[in-house]
Amino acid sequence: GQSLEQPSEVTAVEGAIVQINCTYQTSGFYGLSWYQQHDGGAPTFLSYNALDGLEETGRFSSFLSRSDSYGYLLLQELQMKDSASYFCAVRDTNAGKSTFGDGTTLTVKP
Amino acid sequence: ETGVTQTPRHLVMGMTNKKSLKCEQHLGHNAMYWYKQSAKKPLELMFVYSLEERVENNSVPSRFSPECPNSSHLFLHLHTLQPEDSALYLCASSQDGTSGYNEQFFGPGTRLTVL
């Protein structure tokens, strides 16, 4: 079966850096993606890694190690608006379908 | 309209009612999805349609019945639901069959309450 593990909650202060880890066990692997969901809103796409290494997009970066079945989302210069749930998702086929993790609730405090 | 739209945004229904959720995508995508998201729980994939054919049905009870009449529209027909079916129902779309990652674009969701 498919399983993804990520911490349920993370708390950090404004301006800090936070890393949200994701480990996965899936029958197939084409890539790891990250989505952000604010309370009451729809998930929105943040990043995707198909190959090992770090992908940077502004204040957000995402890392993948396929040999370790592990990835993380790095958020820098945290802002209050970054308070949200963050989901990792594995694309396990050559189609758009992904299996989502349980989500990590990030709380940014002043 | 742009992106993925869903109607209604909020729905309250009794257990004996029949209702339908509608999703429309204006992105030219060829795959559409229904997800259920209960309070403080992860996204649960319910159905996947690719090129208007159902390619996945994740052991969803028969009281949920999807319909995909064309690549832009997706419906979820509801009948004799249970209170535990109360949740946020999200629709998403993506473009399958091309190289690279095709991110899923989500609609705003329908907040369903079953009394």
Side-chain angles (χ1 to χ4, degrees), chain A residues 32-75:
Chain A
L32 182 72
S33 55
W34 289 91
Y35 286 78
Q36 177 192 60
Q37 185 180 25
H38 284 99
D39 201 25
T44 56
F45 172 78
L46 290 177
S47 67
Y48 175 70
N49 295 67
L51 302 175
D52 288 356
L54 191 68
E55 295 279 346
E56 297 181 66
T57 308
R59 295 187 297 113
F60 294 2
S61 303
S62 58
F63 172 82
L64 175 66
S65 169
R66 296 181 66 148
S67 60
D68 295 322
S69 297
Y70 163 77
Y72 65 73
L73 180 69
L74 189 73
L75 298 88

Side-chain angles (χ1 to χ4, degrees), chain B residues 15-107:
Chain B
M15 289 190 285
T16 58
N17 292 158
K18 289 184 180 181
K19 296 287 184 184
S20 295
L21 309 185
K22 178 183 176 183
C23 176
E24 184 173 359
Q25 59 97 0
H26 309 268
L27 301 167
H29 289 165
N30 60 9
M32 297 186 77
Y33 313 78
W34 278 117
Y35 289 89
K36 175 185 178 182
Q37 187 175 36
S38 303
K40 306 295 183 183
K41 288 188 178 179
L43 291 160
E44 299 174 52
L45 180 64
M46 300 175 73
F47 301 103
V48 181
Y49 277 82
S50 181
L51 299 173
E52 300 156 44
E53 285 191 27
R54 191 190 310 181
V55 297
E56 184 144 344
N57 174 351
N58 276 3
S59 303
V60 178
S62 59
R63 57 185 184 270
F64 295 92
S65 174
E67 179 190 359
C68 187
N70 55 61
S71 60
S72 299
H73 293 85
L74 185 64
F75 294 89
L76 187 63
H77 304 298
L78 317 171
H79 64 98
T80 59
L81 294 192
Q82 305 297 312
E84 60 265 28
D85 296 323
S86 298
L88 180 68
Y89 288 85
L90 290 159
C91 173
S93 71
S94 69
Q95 183 64 20
D96 275 4
T98 61
S99 61
Y101 180 68
N102 300 300
E103 65 188 88
Q104 293 187 31
F105 290 79
F106 286 83

